[in-house]
């Protein structure tokens, strides 16, 4: 979290009291409640303070074991449990993709990557990748099928209910930490969005998320063998939103995650807005819904 973020002062002032009111929750939920206070306030700039502590950096969270504490670069969430055969086929292709990526030359040709993205956009979607290539240690844990992705595939009914048909925003709030940054500046002759929305622009500020990249296997994945690639912030293009997503083919996601994690790649679609509009609307409505966290 950047020390220049206006949200930092809110955490310094409010985090400890919110934590004391709900001690059985975790770091991410406490920070989200502070964020709710931030967005509800008219004046968002607080006087600088060094009072309080910075437990919001070090406190634990129930979902750290599946995110922050993992060595893998990305987290792949299974959110549809209706077709076991399709899911197993996806996992097999993911393992094949990981092995293919590990065996490929380490030097990547940028034009090749650009061509791949164009081909994916023309088809059902695109994919994402992670950087860790050591798949020599085979784990008996079903959630550790890939050395690049940590796979969250719960077996208990109550855990599956939590993830079933989950939105991008809800997934970010479980597995990433909330923050606030300055929203992208609208280009000349472009008005700010109305009504304001925290995922795009609210008073010049934008809600963003920090943590591992999230990839979501949903009901559509059973047929197209793609996943939703979830953005933690908007792109630099004004009007795009935090939690935007696009569909990525399983055959490509290892390479994409590695390039995203290394900073060698940034998804901006050449300045065009090609994110999934339906998912954006779902996230924006959920972000502003009262009492939804």
């Amino acid at each position: 979290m950047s020390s220049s973020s206006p949200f930092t002062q809110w955490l310094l002032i409010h985090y400890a009291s919110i934590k004391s009111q709900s001690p059985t929750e975790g770091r991410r939920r406490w920070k989200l409640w502070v964020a709710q206070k931030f967005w509800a306030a008219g004046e968002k700039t607080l006087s600088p303070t060094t009072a309080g502590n910075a437990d919001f950096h070090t406190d634990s969270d129930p979902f750290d074991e599946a995110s922050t504490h993992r060595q893998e670069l990305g987290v792949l969430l299974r959110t549809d449990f209706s077709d076991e055969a399709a899911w197993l086929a996806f996992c097999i292709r993911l393992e094949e993709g990981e092995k293919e990526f590990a065996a490929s030359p380490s030097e990547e040709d940028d034009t090749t990557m650009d061509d791949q993205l164009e081909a994916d956009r023309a088809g059902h979607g695109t994919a994402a990748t992670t950087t860790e290539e050591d798949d020599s240690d085979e784990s008996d844990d079903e959630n550790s099928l890939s050395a690049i992705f940590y796979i969250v595939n719960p077996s208990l009914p109550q855990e599956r209910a939590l993830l079933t048909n989950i939105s991008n925003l809800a997934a970010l709030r479980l597995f990433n930490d909330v923050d606030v940054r300055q929203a992208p500046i609208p280009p000349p002759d472009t008005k700010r969005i109305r009504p304001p929305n925290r995922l795009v622009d609210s008073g010049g500020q934008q809600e963003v998320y920090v943590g591992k990249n999230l990839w979501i296997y949903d009901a559509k994945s059973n047929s197209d063998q793609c996943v939703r690639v979830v953005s933690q912030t908007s792109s630099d293009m004004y009007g795009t939103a935090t939690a935007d997503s696009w569909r990525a083919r399983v055959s490509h996601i290892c390479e994409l995650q590695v390039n995203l994690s290394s900073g060698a790649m940034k998804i901006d679609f050449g300045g065009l807005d090609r994110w999934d509009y339906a998912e954006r609307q779902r996230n924006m409505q959920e972000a502003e819904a009262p009492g939804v966290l």
Side-chain angles (χ1 to χ4, degrees), residues 21-97:
Q21 294 168 23
S22 303
T24 60
E25 298 289 347
R27 180 189 71 254
R28 292 190 175 98
R29 182 59 63 93
W30 293 325
K31 290 168 76 172
L32 284 167
W33 282 332
V34 176
Q36 291 292 78
K37 294 176 70 71
F38 173 87
W39 292 114
E43 177 54 54
K44 293 179 171 49
T45 303
L46 302 180
S47 300
T49 179
T50 56
N53 53 49
D55 286 350
F56 51 86
H57 288 304
T58 57
D59 278 340
S60 63
D61 188 88
F63 289 89
D64 279 344
E65 291 301 319
S67 55
T68 306
H69 295 168
R70 300 298 309 183
Q71 294 184 350
E72 295 87 351
L73 297 178
V75 179
L76 194 153
L77 308 177
R78 185 183 182 188
T79 69
D80 180 87
F81 306 91
S82 64
D83 191 333
E84 196 66 23
W87 166 251
L88 291 176
F90 177 90
C91 290
I92 290 171
R93 188 62 191 93
L94 177 60
E95 289 183 290
E96 291 173 349

Side-chain angles (χ1 to χ4, degrees), residues 256-268:
L256 285 170
Q257 176 65 77
V258 172
N259 282 280
L260 289 170
S261 296
S262 69
M265 183 181 197
K266 184 177 181 180
I267 308 302
D268 61 9

